[in-house]
């Protein structure tokens, strides 16, 4: 059947209004990596009463758009695969403290920072419509044609951005390999990311503004604002650090560099740590190393470590 309650917009709800301080604001705030939503891990989280911990305020779950984007197929098909039902049911069972605004990808957040907007205007969005849509599809409701077209556009845009990111990453890796071949005296041993970052940060930031930021405000004005108010652009700044970390890691750490198609998205996901205390992920490679370098004061917890954390209180 076709259900009218499914709204056309899944990610573009109105920003949340300001609210008074509640117990949730003192909670341990976390985000999930997608690899945590495997059936066996979800079962453990349910057994350890994460649902109750979220509702009591002991921990606060911040939902990131990537968790929803990877489930757009379910919305298009109007059904959830049996193997994925457990993770969807789990996500619907726990309290969502906040939903990061999608804004057509994380670059939307960087753009609004550079335009001088306040975080309260764009960083978080209402999640009621998103939850309602997921619940309806979980129950077997079929999208209307209008809603299906809207979701398909979201998916196509997301896949297009993934391809764009992968191409940009490959180009960067090729430039690094050429640089190493042209400078055989360069050594990987003893290289420090902080030195590499400091030497390249402003140049790469300006380059990214010129090439990647879509705004009605001129590039010159955005660059001037960033130079004057860098502290007001924490998401953009951390993304630039992450981009540089990808380049440095390929040059200084990997002995036989291979293209990791998820590295760019790993960095984009880690940038959300600006607003939370930690990320729950079973990743043991690039993403973990990037987190330790970019966010030394934040937690990178495996699912087991996270369960021990919230059980302790």
């Amino acid at each position: 059947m076709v259900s009218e309650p499914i709204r056309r917009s899944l990610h573009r709800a109105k920003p949340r209004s300001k609210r008074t301080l509640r117990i949730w604001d003192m909670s341990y705030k976390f985000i999930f990596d997608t690899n945590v939503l495997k059936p066996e891990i979800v079962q453990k989280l349910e057994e350890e009463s994460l649902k109750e911990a979220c509702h009591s305020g002991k921990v606060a779950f911040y939902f990131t758009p990537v968790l929803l984007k990877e489930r757009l197929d379910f919305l298009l098909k109007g059904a959830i695969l049996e193997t994925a039902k457990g993770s969807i049911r789990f996500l619907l069972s726990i309290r969502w403290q906040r939903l990061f605004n999608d804004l057509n990808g994380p670059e939307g957040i960087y753009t609004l920072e550079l335009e001088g907007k306040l975080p309260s205007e764009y960083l978080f969005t209402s999640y009621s419509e998103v939850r309602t849509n997921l619940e309806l599809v979980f129950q077997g409701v079929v999208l209307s044609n209008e809603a299906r077209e809207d979701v398909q556009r979201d998916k196509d845009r997301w896949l297009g951005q993934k391809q764009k990111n992968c191409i940009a990453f490959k180009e960067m890796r090729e430039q690094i390999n050429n640089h190493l071949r042209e400078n055989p005296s360069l050594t990987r041993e003893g290289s420090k990311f902080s030195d590499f970052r400091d030497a390249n940060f402003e140049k790469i930031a300006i380059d990214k503004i010129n090439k990647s930021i879509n705004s009605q405000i001129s590039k010159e004005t955005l660059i001037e604002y960033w130079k004057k108010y860098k502290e007001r652009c924490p998401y953009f700044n951390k993304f630039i650090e992450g981009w540089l970390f990808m380049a440095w890691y390929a040059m200084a750490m990997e002995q036989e560099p291979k293209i990791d198609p998820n590295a760019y998205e790993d960095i984009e996901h880690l940038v959300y740590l600006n607003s939370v205390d930690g990320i729950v992920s079973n990743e043991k490679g690039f993403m973990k190393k990037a987190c330790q370098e970019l966010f030394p004061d934040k937690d990178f917890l495996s699912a087991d470590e996270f369960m021990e954390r919230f059980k302790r209180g």
Side-chain angles (χ1 to χ4, degrees), residues 190-206:
S191 175
K192 293 183 179 180
F193 171 65
S194 58
D195 295 337
F196 182 78
R197 177 198 61 207
D198 295 345
N200 294 280
F201 185 75
E202 183 160 319
K203 176 181 67 176
I204 295 300
I206 293 173

Side-chain angles (χ1 to χ4, degrees), residues 271-287:
V271 168
Y272 290 116
L273 285 172
N274 274 298
S275 299
V276 298
D277 300 307
I279 181 172
V280 184
S281 173
N282 285 334
E283 170 67 46
K284 298 179 180 179
F286 171 81
M287 190 182 197

Side-chain angles (χ1 to χ4, degrees), residues 149-160:
E149 291 174 0
D150 197 51
V151 174
Q152 185 67 59
R153 281 194 294 271
D154 278 351
K155 181 182 178 182
D156 292 343
R157 185 168 56 241
W158 178 49
L159 292 177

Side-chain angles (χ1 to χ4, degrees), residues 207-218:
D207 182 67
K208 283 295 180 185
I209 292 174
N210 281 321
K211 294 181 178 179
S212 303
I213 299 299
N214 296 315
S215 172
Q216 294 182 348
I217 298 176
S218 70

Side-chain angles (χ1 to χ4, degrees), residues 163-185:
Q163 181 65 22
K164 177 183 175 182
N165 295 346
C166 189
I167 292 173
F169 189 32
K170 286 181 179 179
E171 290 176 350
M172 178 195 71
R173 296 294 292 271
E174 184 177 351
Q175 292 172 359
I176 290 171
N177 290 336
N178 291 337
H179 184 60
L180 291 172
R181 283 193 294 269
E182 293 168 1
N183 299 272
S185 62

Side-chain angles (χ1 to χ4, degrees), residues 33-45 71 83 86-87 282:
D33 190 7
T34 55
N35 60 32
V36 174
L37 298 179
K38 295 179 179 179
E40 62 275 15
I41 299 175
V42 167
Q43 182 178 352
K44 287 183 179 180
L45 290 169
R71 286 150 184 83
T83 54
S87 64
N282 285 334

